[in-house]
């Protein structure tokens, strides 16, 4: 168990929810998550069409997909990471995800940016489970096709940024909550997790993210179900956590609470709390000795990934 309190002036606060844009998505071959019909789906109205704005923010996703960044065969380590963008469950903000995916690829790690559905009653029977279904389908596909893609099926992790961190932490802590068809009984548990400034606690401090996923007046039971720190167990994967103390979008208490739960469950964990950085940082200044990506690589190596 490791905690490092770091000072860093090298992280520049990003605009709110500008967490992951994929300006070159059109250059990547998207891989649909579902071979046939999308589960839990309603027929989308004619005007409900996927859109990407000038900043690369995506809305109205109806066909979830993986955007792959395959490591070169000669450098591939066998490790793969699925990256889940943030955006408050209202949009997928894709500039940092591509940046991180390319950095991972350069280290021999295959990365997949996951373009998941955003919760919406218009296109979903139950909007509260749509993103989780796509997260489960994503890891199922990568594990199922691991040999084809030169990936070790026991070294598949998930990284989530902001609301994407909430989604990944749900996947990692609620492993018995299977929301997709899985007749093959493929493990949906990530082998490790990396959570960057994640939403963890569903309480009055996260009203917009909470309301988008589970509505304005959820019961205490539902709030507890979606507060992922309440579901940590010994089966939760090893976890890398990073957050800035001055984050004014997602309070740092989210990461602290999750770390405490991991510690109580004796899950291998490393946490870094930056003095400054705000919300939405990515790979700012790779040459910095305090850069989180360097620390993340060391953590992966220490844990055999």
């Amino acid at each position: 168990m490791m905690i490092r309190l770091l000072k860093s002036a090298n992280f520049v606060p990003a605009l709110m929810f500008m967490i992951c844009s994929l300006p070159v998505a059109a250059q990547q071959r998207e891989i649909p998550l579902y071979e046939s019909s999308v589960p839990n789906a309603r027929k989308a109205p004619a005007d409900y069409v996927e859109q990407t704005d000038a900043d690369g923010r995506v809305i109205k996703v109806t066909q979830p997909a993986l955007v792959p960044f395959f490591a070169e065969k000669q450098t591939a380590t066998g490790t793969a990471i699925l990256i889940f963008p943030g955006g408050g469950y209202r949009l997928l903000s894709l500039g940092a995800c591509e940046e991180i995916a390319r950095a991972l690829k350069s280290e021999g790690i295959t990365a997949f940016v996951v373009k998941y559905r955003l919760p919406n009653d218009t296109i979903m029977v139950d909007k509260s489970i749509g993103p989780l279904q796509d997260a489960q389908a994503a890891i199922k596909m990568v594990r199922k096709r691991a040999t084809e893609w030169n990936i070790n099926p026991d070294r598949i992790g998930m990284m989530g940024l902001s609301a994407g961190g909430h989604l990944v932490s749900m996947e990692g802590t609620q492993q018995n909550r299977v929301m997709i068809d899985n007749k093959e009984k493929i493990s949906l548990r990530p082998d490790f997790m990396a959570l960057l400034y994640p939403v963890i606690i569903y309480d009055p401090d996260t009203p917009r993210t909470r309301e988008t996923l589970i509505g304005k007046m959820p019961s205490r039971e539902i709030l507890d179900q979606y507060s992922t720190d309440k579901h940590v167990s010994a089966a939760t994967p090893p976890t890398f956590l990073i957050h800035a103390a001055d984050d004014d979008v997602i309070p740092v208490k989210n990461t602290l609470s999750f770390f405490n739960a991991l510690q109580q469950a004796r899950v291998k964990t490393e946490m870094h709390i930056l003095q400054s950085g705000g919300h939405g940082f990515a790979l700012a200044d790779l040459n910095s000795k305090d850069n989180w990506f360097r620390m993340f690589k060391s953590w992966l190596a220490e844990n055999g990934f």
Side-chain angles (χ1 to χ4, degrees):
M1 196 70 64
M2 183 182 297
I3 307 177
R4 296 177 184 168
L5 301 181
L6 303 175
K7 295 183 179 181
S8 175
N10 295 309
F11 292 97
V12 180
L15 293 176
M16 181 176 180
F17 293 127
M18 288 301 294
I19 305 155
C20 252
S21 129
L22 207 53
V24 299
Q27 301 174 27
Q28 300 293 329
R29 178 178 60 88
E30 290 191 359
I31 304 170
L33 281 186
Y34 301 101
E35 296 177 356
S36 54
S37 60
V38 177
N40 184 36
R42 301 181 191 272
K43 184 177 180 180
D47 62 349
Y48 198 98
V49 179
E50 184 175 318
Q51 301 172 25
T52 305
D53 70 11
D55 294 314
R57 294 175 295 190
V58 179
I59 60 173
K60 297 184 177 180
V61 175
T62 57
Q63 297 296 323
L66 299 178
V67 182
F69 294 78
F70 292 112
E72 302 296 334
K73 286 187 177 181
Q74 61 270 27
T75 60
T77 65
T79 297
I81 300 179
L82 294 97
I83 307 173
F84 292 79
Y89 285 125
R90 300 187 307 282
L91 57 86
L92 299 179
S93 192
L94 301 181
C97 289
E98 184 219 22
E99 184 183 13
I100 294 170
R102 291 191 180 282
L104 290 169
K105 177 181 176 179
S106 71
E107 298 294 333
I109 298 171
T110 290
F112 299 90
V113 176
V114 184
K115 192 173 73 174
Y116 58 91
R117 288 172 294 165
L118 298 162
N120 192 306
D121 292 324
T122 301
I123 63 163
M124 295 177 182
V125 177
D126 182 352
K127 70 176 184 178
S128 70
I129 65 171
L132 182 59
Q133 288 176 309
D134 294 350
Q136 292 179 348
I139 193 166
K140 177 185 174 183
M141 173 178 284
V142 173
R143 195 158 267 140
K144 185 176 181 179
R145 300 180 66 176
T147 300
E148 173 189 350
W149 289 338
N150 199 27
I151 292 167
N152 185 329
D154 298 322
R155 292 169 61 178
I156 300 172
M158 287 182 166
M159 175 183 288
L161 293 73
S162 194
H166 177 261
L167 179 53
V168 169
S169 66
M170 269 204 300
E171 175 73 3
T173 60
Q174 300 183 28
Q175 296 158 29
N176 294 325
R177 193 181 173 204
V178 179
M179 311 304 293
I180 60 170
D181 175 62
N182 189 20
K183 294 184 178 65
E184 307 97 319
K185 298 188 183 302
I186 294 172
S187 172
L188 305 180
R189 175 188 181 272
D191 295 301
F192 59 90
M193 299 190 295
L195 306 180
L196 283 65
Y197 35 85
V199 178
I200 296 295
I201 305 166
Y202 263 39
D203 67 4
D205 284 350
T206 56
R208 296 187 70 187
T209 299
R210 185 191 69 234
E211 290 173 12
T212 302
L213 189 63
I214 58 175
K216 292 185 177 181
M217 300 294 291
S219 66
R220 171 46 58 185
E221 180 181 6
I222 294 297
L223 287 171
D224 287 348
Q225 183 177 39
Y226 283 83
S227 293
T228 58
D229 56 327
K230 297 181 182 296
H231 301 278
V232 172
S233 71
T236 300
T239 303
F240 179 92
L241 296 160
I242 186 162
H243 213 125
D246 66 350
D247 190 329
D248 60 358
V249 177
I250 304 300
V252 70
K253 72 176 184 178
N254 285 266
T255 287
L256 296 174
S257 180
F258 201 70
F259 173 80
N260 287 336
L262 291 165
Q263 187 175 44
Q264 290 175 12
R266 299 185 182 278
V267 175
K268 290 182 179 179
T269 310
E270 181 166 313
M271 177 175 68
H272 301 274
I273 303 300
L274 306 176
Q275 175 176 288
S276 60
H279 188 74
F281 54 78
L283 293 184
D285 189 5
L286 280 177
N287 294 319
S288 168
K289 64 181 177 61
D290 289 342
N291 179 264
W292 71 265
F293 188 74
R294 290 180 178 274
M295 295 185 289
F296 177 54
K297 288 192 300 179
S298 295
W299 180 81
L300 288 175
E302 181 179 348
N303 286 279
F305 299 119

